[in-house]
Each structure stands twice: as structure tokens, then as C-alpha cells.
Amino acid sequence: QVQLVESGGGLVQPGGSLRLSCTASRSILSINNMGWYRQAPGKEREMVATITIIGITNYVDSVKGRFTISRDNAKNTVYLQMNNLKPEDTAVYYCNTLLRTLTWGQGTQVTVSS
């Protein structure tokens, strides 16, 4: 089973930036679409951004213009650059395939607060 490890979260002020990383234990070349998800307390886990193996991206409306997803297939890693963070972005962030076919990792906590 492929293991996913997320990192890069932390506590930041509104307007700050973070860069999240998701590294898979095996090659992701066989996965056409990878994405980042997030889950805030009391809310359902939602898709934030996705990226295909050739770099086509999609974002949830609330993060468009602020977040950028990228992937380095050689490093088995997916990134999420988050700029101009807002308190509403506070959540645990996870990565997975588009159809959520892999076992979830532990996620990484992002807290945006003054």
C-alpha cells in the first residue's frame, strides 16, 4: 500500500504563506490526477486543488488566485503553495488521488489566526 506523508503546516497570521508537501512512498507516475483536500472541524472533507500528470490544474473557488498546486513526479511529491492565507483556510490538509483511492495520511495542520 502506498503511504502518503504530508508536511509543512503550521500557525500563521492572516495574509501569511505556507508551502505544503506530500510525499508518496512509491512512484506516482501511474496516478493521473493528484490533489489536496482539507477538513475543518465540524465540516466535511473537501477537495482544494487537483493536478494531472501533465500539469492541468483545478481549484475550489475559495482558493483561486491564492493557492498553487504543483507536482514533481521524479520526487514522488505534490506541493501546495498557499498565499494570502485567511482564517477560513484553517483545517487539516491531506493529499490523495482524484478519486481518493489511496489510504489517507495523517495530514498536516494549518492554522490561520491573529
Side-chain angles (χ1 to χ4, degrees), residues 6-27:
E6 299 93 348
S7 63
L11 173 63
V12 297
Q13 300 287 327
S17 298
L18 286 173
R19 181 177 173 84
L20 308 183
S21 298
C22 168
T23 299
S25 60
R26 297 182 180 180
S27 175

Side-chain angles (χ1 to χ4, degrees), residues 28-48:
I28 59 173
L29 285 172
S30 63
I31 303 174
N32 291 325
N33 214 323
M34 291 289 297
W36 282 94
Y37 302 78
R38 68 185 180 187
Q39 187 166 28
K43 294 186 177 180
E44 189 173 314
R45 191 169 299 184
E46 67 169 344
M47 184 179 294
V48 177

